[in-house]
Amino acid sequence: MSSRVAPLLWVPATALTLLSVACHSPQQMATQAASGNPQAQYDYACFLLKNKRCTPAQQKEAILLLIESTEGGSQQAPATLGLCYSVGLGTPPNLRQARTFLQIASDRNHPRAQLLLAHMYAQGSGAPYNPAKAAEEIRYAAMQGSPLAAVLMFFCFYDGFGVVQNTDLALGWLQNAADFGSDEAKELLKLVKNEEKSQFFQQEVDLLRKKLDFFPQKS
């Protein structure tokens, strides 16, 4: 497995979600953050990082606030720190640090952090290449109702990535993904149930695998 640094999946799509900000004025957030409130520390840090006029000193302050919020038990702060260290937001990129904080967030049941961590293990980027560990992190997220994670579990069992290949379990996870709201899963299930169109199932599976670009490309 190559040791090259692969970009973390879903970072652009989830950045704004991870960097959510409470509806308080900056002054209120700063005051509450200074009092040591973990949620306020998280909110104010995200406000600073999303501000296009944020100075280097404020970016450094934001990272420190996220670290304090993590130490205070926040679930969101370590996930956001993992994002920051992954892409160099407010701090130089450092995939090892990203992995450390994503693991903390995963242990606190943050689904997106679990998927980002799984992608690290799947690609061998910032973490040792470990399909079984990747599948485990995906399952944690899927068990919390993540449609995307359930689709990825379908691929794990369909391809035998990190788990024993099992078509029945794969289709079961595809049904779960559809139940969770995945449009892609719903379309694939239509092909499975329609004998006239079932011949297109593998083609659509391959297209979706390529679109997600989560797993290593087959040689």
Side-chain angles (χ1 to χ4, degrees):
M1 175 57 56
S2 171
S3 60
R4 69 179 178 83
V5 175
L8 285 179
L9 187 63
W10 299 300
V11 165
T14 60
L16 293 180
T17 303
L18 289 176
L19 297 178
S20 59
V21 179
C23 297
H24 300 298
S25 71
Q27 185 175 359
Q28 287 178 317
M29 286 188 286
T31 300
Q32 294 176 11
S35 72
N37 182 297
Q39 183 61 49
Q41 291 169 334
Y42 171 78
D43 291 337
Y44 188 49
C46 291
F47 167 79
L48 291 175
L49 291 172
K50 290 182 68 175
N51 188 345
K52 294 181 179 179
R53 298 180 180 179
C54 183
T55 66
Q58 288 175 320
Q59 290 181 337
K60 183 177 180 180
E61 178 186 4
I63 297 300
L64 291 175
L65 285 170
L66 288 173
I67 292 174
E68 290 182 24
S69 181
T70 297
E71 293 173 347
S74 170
Q75 179 197 50
Q76 296 170 304
T80 300
L81 277 168
L83 169 69
C84 290
Y85 279 107
S86 297
V87 300
L89 178 61
T91 184
N94 185 322
L95 290 184
R96 182 171 295 182
Q97 282 286 74
R99 175 188 170 193
T100 296
F101 286 110
L102 288 174
Q103 185 63 65
I104 293 172
S106 173
D107 292 342
R108 295 177 186 177
N109 296 316
H110 194 291
R112 290 185 182 85
Q114 289 163 342
L115 289 181
L116 288 170
L117 187 60
H119 186 253
M120 281 184 153
Y121 284 115
Q123 296 289 341
S125 175
Y129 175 68
N130 191 328
K133 185 65 176 175
E136 181 180 53
E137 291 292 339
I138 294 169
R139 182 174 62 83
Y140 290 153
M143 293 297 289
Q144 296 184 69
S146 167
L148 180 55
V151 169
L152 292 173
M153 282 305 300
F154 157 74
F155 278 109
C156 284
F157 280 105
Y158 191 78
D159 296 334
F161 184 83
V163 296
V164 177
Q165 191 172 25
N166 187 312
T167 302
D168 289 338
L169 287 178
L171 292 177
W173 275 110
L174 193 62
Q175 182 63 62
N176 287 340
D179 293 341
F180 295 159
S182 169
D183 291 333
E184 292 90 345
K186 293 175 184 177
E187 292 302 314
L188 285 177
L189 284 173
K190 288 180 182 178
L191 296 178
V192 173
K193 297 173 182 178
N194 188 329
E195 292 185 5
E196 295 181 0
K197 296 183 178 181
S198 61
Q199 58 182 314
F200 299 111
F201 178 75
Q202 184 61 54
Q203 176 182 334
E204 293 302 314
V205 166
D206 292 339
L207 287 173
L208 181 57
R209 185 191 293 107
K210 183 176 181 180
K211 176 183 175 182
L212 292 178
D213 192 25
F214 183 93
F215 303 100
Q217 294 185 2
K218 296 180 179 179
S219 56

